[in-house]
């Protein structure tokens, strides 16, 4: 799969390029990103370069991880990243936002755009969000984007050689007013 560019009212979501390496490295110095994301620590320039020049392009090529750098629509630095990745046949979404851009709705806007794209282009029938229990910022974004938190998965995230509990939520095409590829019959509880 070739990388694509998405646009929203305020943002451009595009492939990361080598010119973004310093922006990504700087953002990933933030203790909150280090705490909640599975990143090398310390996060050095070589880690950002490897992700941008090898990992992200390989993900696009194999259509297993589609990573978008989030930048202002008119141009500017990388504000964050959003990806849709396939884990055991299930599409998941992941994201981070540089500290100075949090709290303005940018991440929710980017996540919603990637979710719509995943449903319409990738053919996802369900998009999952997972975060370590306690990552309130990630949960707030997911809920604002329409994800329904479905529960806690015990010992579901391996982070820094320790299994941790994870919140799990899901977004369905119908949650965004989109048709699904198959009919959905919800359980009556």
């Amino acid at each position: 799969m070739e990388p694509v560019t998405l646009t929203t009212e305020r943002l451009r979501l595009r492939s990361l390029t080598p010119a973004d390496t310093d922006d990504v490295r700087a953002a990933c110095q933030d203790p909150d990103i280090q705490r909640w994301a599975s990143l090398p620590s310390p996060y050095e320039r070589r880690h950002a370069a490897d992700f941008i020049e090898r990992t992200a392009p390989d993900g696009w090529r194999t259509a297993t991880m589609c990573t978008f750098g989030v930048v202002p629509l008119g141009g500017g630095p990388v504000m964050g990243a959003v990806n849709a990745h396939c884990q055991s046949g299930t599409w998941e979404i992941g994201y981070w936002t540089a500290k100075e851009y949090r709290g303005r709705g940018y991440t929710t806007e980017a996540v919603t755009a990637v979710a719509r794209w995943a449903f319409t282009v990738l053919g996802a029938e369900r998009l999952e969000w997972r975060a370590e229990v306690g990552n309130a910022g990630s949960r707030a974004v997911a809920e604002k984007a329409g994800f329904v938190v479905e529960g806690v998965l015990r010992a579901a995230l391996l982070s820094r050689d320790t299994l941790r509990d994870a919140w799990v939520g899901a977004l369905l095409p119908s949650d965004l007013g989109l048709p699904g590829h198959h009919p959905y019959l919800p359980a009556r509880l």
Side-chain angles (χ1 to χ4, degrees):
M1 170 179 274
E2 289 295 318
V4 299
T5 298
L6 307 175
T7 56
T8 69
E9 183 179 320
R10 303 179 294 166
L11 305 170
R12 176 168 282 113
L13 285 68
R14 57 158 176 81
S15 292
L16 293 165
T17 70
D20 300 320
T21 302
D22 289 330
D23 289 345
V24 170
R25 187 209 53 80
C28 291
Q29 300 309 302
D30 176 40
D32 286 333
I33 292 175
Q34 288 277 324
R35 166 65 179 93
W36 300 114
S38 296
L39 299 172
S41 184
Y43 193 80
E44 299 171 356
R45 189 175 197 285
R46 67 184 172 92
H47 297 116
D50 185 62
F51 181 76
I52 290 168
E53 295 172 24
R54 190 163 31 111
T55 304
D58 286 351
W60 277 104
R61 185 180 45 73
T62 60
T64 57
M65 184 177 73
C66 305
T67 301
F68 297 88
V70 179
V71 298
L73 189 57
V78 173
M79 303 160 64
V82 179
N83 74 56
H85 55 279
C86 194
Q87 297 273 96
S88 303
T90 300
W91 284 97
E92 295 184 25
I93 198 156
Y95 45 87
W96 59 261
T97 304
K99 186 174 188 167
E100 59 269 27
Y101 299 106
R102 294 182 197 145
R104 298 188 225 169
Y106 295 131
T107 310
T108 301
E109 191 174 324
V111 165
T112 301
V114 172
R116 285 183 172 284
W117 178 80
F119 291 134
T120 58
V121 175
L122 297 177
E125 296 199 69
R126 172 183 165 90
L127 189 59
E128 289 189 358
W129 157 84
R130 295 171 189 238
E132 184 179 334
V133 170
N135 188 344
S138 182
R139 182 173 177 154
V141 167
E143 290 178 328
K144 287 176 189 170
F147 284 77
V148 174
V149 177
E150 297 175 332
V152 173
L153 301 174
R154 297 179 313 138
L157 288 178
L158 181 63
S159 178
R160 293 168 182 72
D161 294 323
T162 301
L163 288 171
R164 301 166 194 269
D165 294 344
W167 283 320
V168 64
L171 188 68
L172 305 177
S174 58
D175 296 332
L176 298 178
L178 299 170
H181 297 282
H182 292 95
Y184 167 52
L185 180 62
R188 294 184 186 185
L189 303 174

